[in-house]
Amino acid sequence: AQKITQTQPGMFVQEKEAVTLDCTYDTSDQSYGLFWYKQPSSGEMIFLIYQGSYDEQNATEGRYSLNFQKARKSANLVISASQLGDSAMYFCAMRDEGAQKLVFGQGTRLTINP
Amino acid sequence: DGGITQSPKYLFRKEGQNVTLSCEQNLNHDAMYWYRQDPGQGLRLIYYSQIVNDFQKGDIAEGYSVSREKKESFPLTVTSAQKNPTAFYLCASIWPGRGSTEAFFGQGTRLTVV
């Protein structure tokens, strides 16, 4: 069975600092994809970054990078130079490429302080 | 413009009544999903469908039912058997090809039992 674990319910960071949000996963599938989403207080889900299980390089999208350690089954999100607008809930998710089941972690609430 | 439309945005239901939440997409995606989100919590998978006329239970399917008669539509019925239906419900769709990098989400339906 697939499972995503986010162990940080809340994080508080000073503006302009880098922040790492932890995500570990469990799956028996060989082919899967890992996602990070941002959810502001409005409730919309904003896609941030994707990492395929066969991708050898860590994914990057602007200020976002994904620290993928396959052997440790971790997919941490790194946000560089945090901004006040980064304050939101962040969700890690995994999709197996076979059954297409897409599951999410419990989320981390990130608060950026000025 | 392509996207996912959920309706209604807010829904009130009396105890003991069934209610159906609508989810329509014009993205030509095969895979569609329903999630439940409780305050401060993650997204829990209710049902998902890979193709028309086929769907699978997620982690919390009890008290819910779905249908997938058309590729574009994946309605969710919250039945009277669901003991605690008050929650935020999100619908998503994704093109299921390997390496597909993004799930599109609707704006959500906030259901309140009165």
Side-chain angles (χ1 to χ4, degrees), chain B residues 9-99:
Chain B
K9 189 172 181 180
Y10 297 96
L11 188 58
F12 296 88
R13 187 195 93 173
K14 291 183 179 180
E15 281 194 38
Q17 287 183 338
N18 292 354
V19 63
T20 298
L21 282 59
S22 170
C23 179
E24 303 276 335
Q25 54 98 358
N26 60 3
L27 300 160
N28 201 33
H29 287 171
D30 287 310
M32 296 187 73
Y33 306 81
W34 273 107
Y35 295 92
R36 170 182 172 139
Q37 186 176 23
D38 293 286
Q41 300 296 311
L43 279 68
R44 292 185 289 169
L45 182 63
I46 305 172
Y47 269 98
Y48 65 108
S49 168
Q50 296 183 62
I51 56 172
V52 174
N53 292 324
D54 188 41
F55 47 83
Q56 287 77 40
K57 292 182 179 179
D59 300 319
I60 56 164
E62 185 175 352
Y64 300 97
S65 66
V66 294
S67 63
R68 188 82 186 277
E69 298 176 0
K70 299 185 300 182
K71 189 175 187 178
E72 302 79 19
S73 179
F74 191 39
L76 173 73
T77 297
V78 184
T79 75
S80 57
Q82 170 51 237
K83 297 306 178 188
N84 185 21
T86 295
F88 185 57
Y89 291 88
L90 278 165
C91 177
S93 75
I94 191 167
W95 182 74
R98 179 181 167 181

Side-chain angles (χ1 to χ4, degrees), chain A residues 37 39 47 54 95 100 102, chain B residues 33 35 37 94 98 101 103:
Chain A
Y37 280 84
Q39 187 183 45
F47 168 76
Y54 288 104
R95 184 193 74 204
Q100 297 297 314
L102 177 63
Chain B
Y33 306 81
Y35 295 92
Q37 186 176 23
I94 191 167
R98 179 181 167 181
T101 63

